[in-house]
Each structure stands twice: as C-alpha cells, then as structure tokens.
Amino acid sequence: QVQLVESGGGLVQAGGSLRLSCAASGRAFRSYAMGWFRQAPGKEREFVAAITWSSLSTIYADSVKGRFTISRDSAKNTVYLQMNSLKPEDTAVYSCAAHYSGSYSSGAAYDGWGQGTQVTVST
C-alpha cells in the first residue's frame, strides 16, 4: 500500500500562489493514478484534481480549472499541486490519495490518504 505525506500548505493572500507536495513511499506509487481533494470546515470533502499513472491525462474540478495544475515526478515519488490565483474559497485542508478503482472524482475510489496540509487564503 502507498503511504502519503503532504506538505507545502500555509497562509497566502488572495491572488497568491502555493505549491503542495505529496510524497509517496513504495515503488507501487508509479502504477497508481493520484488525486488531490480538499475539505473546508463544515463542508464535505471535495475533488480537486487527478493525474493518471502515465501523466498523460489530468482531470480538474471546474472550480479550480485554469488556476491549479497537478503533476507528478515518478523519480521522486511525488505528486504536486500548483495553485495560482488563489481565492478565499480555496481555504481548506488539502489531502492526496492513490486511486484504486472507480471515478477519479469520487473519494471512495481512493485509499492511502495522507494527513493533509492546511491552506488558508486571506482577503
């Protein structure tokens, strides 16, 4: 099973940028599609972005399309989420997970969740 650790969160002003990292343990990482989700206080977990094992395909939630970019470096066993033009509504705990089966936008299709990293966007 893949084990994941997120980092890179923090406090940023609206319009700013952050890059999140998700470091994975295990050689099996290279065979999994990976996803980023977020959860704001009092809200359900929300799909953000996913990337296939080959990096040939990426999928984004409409709310982040054009602002966020997901990528992966298999040599470093790491998945990234570059977040630009951040908005206060992007404030949430961001978590990554490995995709096992099912819809890329469904949290139920993922496992090996990391502990998450807090992103706070101020006005």
Side-chain angles (χ1 to χ4, degrees), residues 6-120:
E6 303 92 339
S7 62
L11 174 64
V12 63
Q13 288 188 330
S17 298
L18 282 174
R19 189 178 80 156
L20 305 184
S21 298
C22 171
S25 62
R27 291 178 293 176
F29 165 80
R30 300 182 182 185
S31 62
Y32 289 109
M34 298 293 296
W36 282 99
F37 287 74
R38 67 187 181 186
Q39 187 166 19
K43 294 188 177 182
E44 293 187 354
R45 185 171 56 197
E46 175 189 25
F47 169 74
V48 175
I51 186 168
T52 57
W53 68 270
S54 63
S55 300
L56 290 179
S57 294
T58 56
I59 305 161
Y60 296 95
D62 288 343
S63 58
V64 307
K65 204 172 291 184
R67 300 188 298 123
F68 290 12
T69 302
I70 188 171
S71 62
R72 66 192 298 165
D73 185 336
S74 293
K76 296 182 178 180
N77 272 15
T78 301
V79 178
Y80 302 99
L81 185 68
Q82 177 67 44
M83 306 186 296
N84 299 327
S85 302
L86 282 162
K87 304 175 181 180
E89 51 264 43
D90 294 318
T91 295
V93 175
Y94 286 70
S95 301
C96 64
H99 178 267
Y100 280 77
S101 65
S103 169
Y104 286 116
S105 62
S106 171
Y110 293 79
D111 202 355
W113 295 89
Q115 84 288 350
T117 185
Q118 176 70 47
V119 171
T120 303

